[in-house]
Amino acid sequence: MSLVGFIGLGQMGAHMARNLIKHGHKLIVYDVNAKVLEQFKADGATIAKFPADVAAASKDIVTMLPSSPHVKLVYTGDGGLLETLQPNSLCMDSSTIDQMVSVEMALALRQKQASYVDAPVSGGVVGAQNATLTFMVGGGDEQPVFDRAHTFLSKMGKNIVNCGKVGNGQAAKICNNMMLGISMIGVSETMNLGIRMGLDAKLLASILNTSSGRCWSSDTYNPVPGVIEGIPPSKEYQGGFGSALMAKDLSLAQNAATATHAPTPLGSMAHQIYRLLAQDPNFSQKDFGVVYQFLKEEAKKR
Amino acid sequence: MSLVGFIGLGQMGAHMARNLIKHGHKLIVYDVNAKVLEQFKADGATIAKFPADVAAASKDIVTMLPSSPHVKLVYTGDGGLLETLQPNSLCMDSSTIDQMVSVEMALALRQKQASYVDAPVSGGVVGAQNATLTFMVGGGDEQPVFDRAHTFLSKMGKNIVNCGKVGNGQAAKICNNMMLGISMIGVSETMNLGIRMGLDAKLLASILNTSSGRCWSSDTYNPVPGVIEGIPPSKEYQGGFGSALMAKDLSLAQNAATATHAPTPLGSMAHQIYRLLAQDPNFSQKDFGVVYQFLKEEAKKR
Amino acid sequence: MSLVGFIGLGQMGAHMARNLIKHGHKLIVYDVNAKVLEQFKADGATIAKFPADVAAASKDIVTMLPSSPHVKLVYTGDGGLLETLQPNSLCMDSSTIDQMVSVEMALALRQKQASYVDAPVSGGVVGAQNATLTFMVGGGDEQPVFDRAHTFLSKMGKNIVNCGKVGNGQAAKICNNMMLGISMIGVSETMNLGIRMGLDAKLLASILNTSSGRCWSSDTYNPVPGVIEGIPPSKEYQGGFGSALMAKDLSLAQNAATATHAPTPLGSMAHQIYRLLAQDPNFSQKDFGVVYQFLKEEAKKR
Amino acid sequence: MSLVGFIGLGQMGAHMARNLIKHGHKLIVYDVNAKVLEQFKADGATIAKFPADVAAASKDIVTMLPSSPHVKLVYTGDGGLLETLQPNSLCMDSSTIDQMVSVEMALALRQKQASYVDAPVSGGVVGAQNATLTFMVGGGDEQPVFDRAHTFLSKMGKNIVNCGKVGNGQAAKICNNMMLGISMIGVSETMNLGIRMGLDAKLLASILNTSSGRCWSSDTYNPVPGVIEGIPPSKEYQGGFGSALMAKDLSLAQNAATATHAPTPLGSMAHQIYRLLAQDPNFSQKDFGVVYQFLKEEAKKR
């Protein structure tokens, strides 16, 4: 098997890269964190000094980076992938970034006779670890490109969705997370209101979950501590998906809404609320279900 | 079997009353609509001239009325139920009204040694017709009262939920519908944004429905025409649950939120949006999924 | 001069009553606070045991109470004004309350051949002290009633506005304060955004104040500490108009908006924001300009 | 006097350029509209084929363009200013654009030993015609640059504000217009609510204008037809500042808020509301005061 490039070995990326290794791939990796590079060296991976070294050595490259500027730097910066990218290479970018940046990267790669898919994920750190991620793939409208990406992505996830043209992966991810942010705040408001009106929390959840108010944020990830055991809201909002990350995804949704002139009154308000949380040290790093505590009186009195 | 009273033979009430008749109950009924009274007379029901006539003739009474003032009038107005209500009567009020009015009615009935449950429903006209309604019962904390109500409600619905003390039925209904209003607008914004970003509507719905953005408004009642066949959004928003009714339920939620000092930023915004629709003759009487059209550009250009 | 009744000697009412005394009126007063009654006794006022005692002794009565339920109790409760109210009495209610309650009180008084004006004030504790309040008078459509009220109100304020029929005083007050809540949050957002974009606070304020962004919350009561000296925002938000009171006024506006089906998206959001502040012990009792600190990052980090 | 360059002869720019001519300046001009170029040729101006021709012939250049991409194109595109820009040139950009683009242009010019100020305006078409514009100047922290810009800007406006470093002009403009959008919607909600509560429109306006609800959108540009004569709201919202332009400025504010992590709940909601208007052919091109009609019932029924 040929060498696979992997750039971005953070909380998600490290697990994903290890799943490729488990399936027998040999890796050449790059990250800014020297310590994690040492660990991958111990696991048999080749260490690159620059992204360009990765592109020089491999034609199948996965990138998993925190935001649009990082992606731009890794692809088009000094020592970036584009400096050495070989014809017929495929870059699979699993970062959640601005749709426009994905489109821009794809165009830049095309000029080098290389392909690009945007393939952001859902499923979190646990999904990354267990290879149960969902990949939302944009750029799979060319079937051979999708099939080639599938070879690698299917070793890191269980659900590889072909969303069509480049950028559509980002669109799907951003849309899902905007809906998620709205419904999580909605459930938090609803549970808080119902409890104040005299309802038992578990009873209210069970009514919602069997009625038209049903949603993932209520039946699978209810933000009220104790309603569902074992999830972050029942563990003091430790772990899970941080409020600051939700604020970031909602800002991508707002950028997209502005660019496409789509009215999003609730998405916009959800963004503002998570922005308030993201700047509050009591809430910023906690699971995004903590918006329930933000809305609930007693939490503020602590 | 003793005579059962039924007041309020509108779109919902008429079906509910007929289901009691189907189960062998003899009814004494009251409504302001003479025509519908004629129909029930033809079906063997006794016709009352005033609510007080119902209470004089029956100790088990169901009321199904459009709003708080109607309930007050029927119970405590001139010729109202309280004038003739017999000790040990049970009034089951299936109206969706202000929680405070339910509590007030219960107190007034208690002074007459009578019981009251608030038992608002979900399931719509179809559920009323097919006796598949869900009843959310407040006042069932006294088990004999709940059991007695269950005898009748179970003939009009399939799911009779004991929500605890008086008013909790209203709380459950209002909370569910606030969540429903939020998620319907959220799904409408999300679908519109995704489509503008280039995604296929059915593909986007399928991604949401298998991800954390999943909710009833997406997987069962998607507001984009053609995504799910056979529901009002695919039939030009005819039938279903009208925008003006959603505006009413959201206003009850806002009243409750103000009374309990519960912050509800999205619930509040959802109320404002449906209030805009409720005053627009193009949207007011259409199914509440029509908010998708309100947000979508082309609809406005027609 | 005949005896004037005064009920409600709180922060505002005590100053207002003293201004009547200064102008030579003899007062009969009622309050639930025994201590403040002692002070008024020392100032020569007659002390009433119940509101009914006030109505028995005086035909010109001012009430200044915190909320709708208090007004109902004082007028129509046990020992209330209505028990002893004399024909041709005039009650001037300066409380800020639900418009509907004002209308209800006026109707009840009319049955006793008495008149009622709703006359809520703006100008705060300082205005009450210096007799510079503005009174917004509803019920002044009958000129003799307005003229009679003017005799008393003009000794407690400098601007007595005839707003027309009963309830219009409340309408004017509620509308002004809804606009005030919106513009205060708007200025807070704007100043915070501009400062983060690199602008000097005073320069930004001066640009707004000479441009179309100009408003009272910017040019007279700027919420950024130090921009305007001597006002509560420059004194750690001590004194002034508390956030919890703003939340109350905004809830009255929302009740009115729901009753009249008026869409108020920003008024509704402003209400939600002050409701969040009202439940936070760091903000609740501080001047309503403190919303600037709520929105500003560093404040949360303290 | 040396030749002055002027690029962008639209509704605003044409008036501004003519004011320079009135003060004796000789102009070299560029626009995409051939017809307007003919008019300027008739007025004695030299016509350029490309922006680069302007920069080759002049060292003092004003640009007045509709949006960020236009600015980028004129400065850095093929045939753009940068191709021929002479050392010690000064570009004065009066476009309202993204702050980041202003900073980017300034950096690009610095590499050519040239200076850049962002100098967006307020005052509208009337202000452009009468040379009464306000210029908000960023980049004036270097006094000689500000003085040099002042020479030209003072012939097109009456108020030239030094806002400090590059980008601060955009910041000031964007902040003012965000506040303006918020207060215009706020006044519209307030006037509509008050009128529905029974108040006379002019009376309500006069109360706001002498109270803490006072603002430019109420006392100078009240959106209710007939309250103030001679302004667009009293002329069926013809002329004035279009809703679509307000939507654009509010989107710039949202971009800036996201970039600086500033929470702007009302600014965000105002953006959403003007976005709804901008996509509605009944409202898009009308004066932004038309939001009053959007909120008011009867308008929708037409």
Side-chain angles (χ1 to χ4, degrees), chain B residues 251 254-255 257-258 261-265 268-269 271-272 275-276 279, chain C residues 251 254-255 257-258 261-265 268-269 271-272 275-276 279:
Chain B
S251 79
Q254 286 305 297
N255 289 349
T258 296
H261 301 281
T264 56
S268 178
M269 196 47 51
H271 178 214
Q272 296 300 319
R275 188 180 281 172
L276 281 170
Q279 75 178 13
Chain C
S251 79
Q254 285 306 296
N255 288 350
T258 296
H261 300 283
T264 55
S268 178
M269 196 48 50
H271 178 213
Q272 295 300 320
R275 189 181 279 172
L276 281 170
Q279 73 180 12

Side-chain angles (χ1 to χ4, degrees), chain B residues 112-136:
Chain B
K112 299 270 183 179
Q113 281 78 51
S115 298
Y116 172 93
V117 295
D118 50 306
V121 300
S122 74
V125 174
V126 172
Q129 189 162 14
N130 300 340
T132 56
L133 293 170
T134 293
F135 285 88
M136 290 159 267

Side-chain angles (χ1 to χ4, degrees), chain B residues 28-267:
Chain B
I28 175 166
V29 300
Y30 172 78
D31 197 277
V32 290
N33 180 339
K35 199 173 159 190
V36 75
L37 287 177
E38 283 306 309
Q39 294 167 352
F40 272 87
K41 194 173 179 181
D43 293 344
T46 306
I47 307 304
K49 282 205 173 164
F50 297 102
D53 300 340
V54 174
S58 165
K59 293 172 98 169
D60 299 289
I61 301 167
V62 179
T63 52
M64 184 60 176
L65 299 157
S67 72
S68 299
H70 297 89
V71 169
K72 279 190 173 180
L73 203 66
V74 161
Y75 279 77
T76 65
D78 280 349
L81 291 170
L82 281 176
E83 289 186 355
T84 57
L85 197 70
Q86 306 169 60
N88 299 318
S89 291
L90 169 65
C91 291
M92 297 161 270
D93 183 20
S94 284
S95 319
T96 296
I97 56 169
D98 208 305
Q99 187 185 37
M100 306 236 213
V101 175
S102 289
V103 171
E104 210 179 298
M105 293 304 107
L107 289 174
L109 265 70
R110 190 165 300 170
Q111 294 189 327
K112 299 270 183 179
Q113 281 78 51
S115 298
Y116 172 93
V117 295
D118 50 306
V121 300
S122 74
V125 174
V126 172
Q129 189 162 14
N130 300 340
T132 56
L133 293 170
T134 293
F135 285 88
M136 290 159 267
V137 182
D141 47 352
E142 300 175 41
Q143 192 65 39
V145 170
F146 181 75
D147 292 344
R148 182 172 167 190
H150 193 279
T151 312
F152 302 96
L153 303 180
S154 60
K155 287 159 186 165
M156 302 183 285
K158 66 169 184 182
N159 200 7
I160 321 298
V161 185
N162 191 338
C163 296
K165 66 182 197 296
V166 164
N168 278 7
Q170 299 300 346
K173 172 74 183 282
I174 285 170
C175 284
N176 182 71
N177 281 19
M178 183 174 91
M179 187 62 220
L180 175 60
I182 291 170
S183 67
M184 180 53 82
I185 300 173
V187 169
S188 296
E189 294 181 10
T190 301
M191 293 297 299
N192 186 39
L193 173 60
I195 291 167
R196 290 200 188 194
M197 290 179 84
L199 289 168
D200 173 75
K202 286 192 181 180
L203 175 69
L204 174 54
S206 77
I207 290 170
L208 293 176
N209 296 346
T210 53
S211 306
S212 48
R214 167 175 60 76
C215 60
W216 185 90
S217 296
S218 171
D219 66 20
T220 302
Y221 212 85
N222 198 292
V224 180
V227 167
I228 300 176
E229 294 302 333
I231 59 172
S234 291
K235 295 186 284 191
E236 299 191 335
Y237 306 97
Q238 300 302 318
F241 181 51
S243 292
L245 285 175
M246 177 49 91
K248 177 211 153 192
D249 285 4
L250 290 170
S251 79
L252 293 174
Q254 286 305 297
N255 289 349
T258 296
T260 61
H261 301 281
T264 56
L266 298 196

